[in-house]
Amino acid sequence: MIGAQWGDEGKGKITDLLSRSADVVVRYQGGVNAGHTVVVQDQTFKLHLIPSGILYPNTKCIIGSGTVIDPKVLIQELDQLEALKISTRNLLISETAHVTMPYHRLIDQASEERRGDHKIGTTRRGIGPTYADKSERTGIRVVDLMEPEHMKKQLRWTINYKNGILEKLYDIQPLDPEEVIAEYLEYAERLRPHVVDSSLEIYEAFRHRRNILFEGAQGTLLDLDHGTYPYVTSSNPVAGGACVGAGVGPTMIDRVIGVAKAYTTRVGEGPFPTEQLGDVGQMLCDRGAEFGTTTGRQRRCGWFDAVIGRYAVRINGLDCLAITKLDVLDELDEIKVCVAYELDGQQCLDFPGNARQFAHCRPIYKTIPGWKQSTADCRTLEDLPMQALDYLKFLAELMEVPIAIVSLGASRDQTIIVEDPIHGPKRALLYTKGEQPSKGEQPAAPNSPEIHLAS
């Protein structure tokens, strides 16, 4: 399961929903720069590293080797869950995952400040520097924490080396190696019972025909290789990243589920063709409670962008979609959907890989009538207003991928399950495939509710 936009698509709720059918949930990339919120009855859970599958007592949750782990934050999450009587015994941590250290956070914060007008918009949680050390082969891994004498030796050298960077480049007070070592020795003992060979754990579950859900953080457009570089994260949130980050072969994956909001948001810097800076953008922000789980930053909001949607389908090989926050659009008289871009006087249907070209893309919109009534209590497709049904059909046709789930609020029960993505038929034709618009034309909105959103 991956994000089909710029992250923050509501993956936490969808992971929680799918975890009911999963025996194992695997987080395969990212770090505490990710955040997901799950609402269960009157309780709200805000998690950054632990998969939301932890809320199910019989679901095994694995933090894979492609993630980067901040032990302090992870232990805070463990404490939060245990205080709420949620068992964490089924949480497993990859011994080969890399560890975020204090110098990573300091360097991330200082380097972002130093960028000035060229800042990327990072969460300043040390994620990029942790992945940089991983690539430089100077990183600290969980397995290093499990061997105290080795860790002491490695950290003394590494911290002295990083202190030179902190002092000379950023004018920051050096870290005390012994204080850091003492702190991380405590973390190591708390986490030790959870540390395993995660690739082996996943493979054994596969051998025993268990349902395994691979959970991506962030979103497709934040992918290091395929996103809106340089305004991206430092890992690979796309579906292909699951194989590397979890340590499995591609033949183990038989279905890819994308999550997208009924509109579009992004956090941080970078081009955003459908961004709305006026009343519409503020309304989307207010009704959608668009503030980051990790940073609390207000998200930038805009209309649904089918160009990046089609790109996400292509890059990830999506089999189906979960559309979230449809209810946020309930009060609008009309809703716009970006069906193509205008670039240098030409219509562009495909996402441009050139970041400078993308920055000059202007949206071509199709306007859809709004439904002007609440959808919060809808539990089946038949409950939805006709215009809301037409809107979903239009999105499915534009992206040529079926919609399997529709989310209409934060609570677990505010969900329409069109098709169970885990147990349902694969590649069911849940949309009407239309012809591509010719140059200069816009795709026509469907006129009838004969959607085939259900198989």
Side-chain angles (χ1 to χ4, degrees), residues 15-219:
T15 302
D16 173 66
L17 180 72
L18 298 180
S19 294
R20 295 185 302 187
S21 303
D23 301 298
V24 181
V25 180
V26 184
R27 167 77 182 276
Y28 62 84
Q29 50 74 223
V32 297
N33 56 340
H36 47 262
T37 302
V38 180
V39 178
V40 183
Q41 296 177 346
D42 61 343
Q43 288 187 319
T44 299
F45 299 88
K46 293 182 181 291
L47 302 171
H48 300 275
L49 284 166
I50 299 177
S52 51
I54 199 70
L55 303 180
Y56 294 92
N58 297 319
T59 300
K60 186 178 292 186
C61 293
I62 297 176
I63 300 176
S65 58
T67 57
V68 292
I69 296 172
D70 187 325
K72 183 177 182 179
V73 175
L74 179 54
I75 290 170
Q76 288 172 349
E77 290 187 21
L78 289 170
D79 290 342
Q80 171 197 352
L81 291 168
E82 290 167 4
L84 295 170
K85 309 301 181 184
I86 305 294
S87 173
T88 59
R89 69 179 184 277
N90 284 335
L91 176 69
L92 303 178
I93 304 167
S94 172
E95 61 186 2
T96 54
H98 279 249
V99 179
T100 297
M101 304 298 295
Y103 47 81
H104 291 135
R105 291 189 293 270
L106 292 171
I107 290 172
D108 195 6
Q109 294 161 12
S111 63
E112 184 73 350
E113 287 294 333
R114 185 70 63 87
R115 288 177 184 270
D117 293 339
H118 298 282
K119 63 182 179 180
I120 295 172
T122 77
T123 60
R124 308 187 182 206
R125 300 298 178 92
I127 307 305
T130 308
Y131 277 113
D133 277 7
K134 177 178 180 177
S135 296
E136 282 191 341
R137 291 152 292 182
T138 58
I140 305 294
R141 303 196 296 178
V142 171
V143 68
D144 298 319
L145 301 187
M146 299 299 106
E147 301 175 9
E149 294 307 314
H150 170 73
M151 183 187 76
K152 291 176 186 177
K153 181 179 179 181
Q154 188 170 359
L155 272 181
R156 286 186 182 114
W157 181 89
T158 303
I159 292 173
N160 285 327
Y161 172 72
K162 296 294 182 180
N163 277 342
I165 297 174
L166 292 173
E167 290 181 281
K168 295 174 183 177
L169 185 58
Y170 297 115
D171 195 25
I172 293 175
Q173 289 295 313
L175 295 166
D176 183 333
E178 301 309 315
E179 286 185 7
V180 176
I181 288 170
E183 178 185 0
Y184 277 72
L185 281 173
E186 289 186 15
Y187 296 155
E189 291 312 306
R190 175 69 186 279
L191 299 178
R192 187 180 297 276
H194 300 278
V195 177
V196 297
D197 180 339
S198 61
S199 177
L200 180 59
E201 290 280 341
I202 298 167
Y203 185 69
E204 288 301 315
F206 173 73
R207 286 184 60 242
H208 289 90
R209 304 182 67 83
R210 303 288 188 257
N211 281 328
I212 305 168
L213 174 64
F214 297 93
E215 174 194 0
Q218 289 91 36

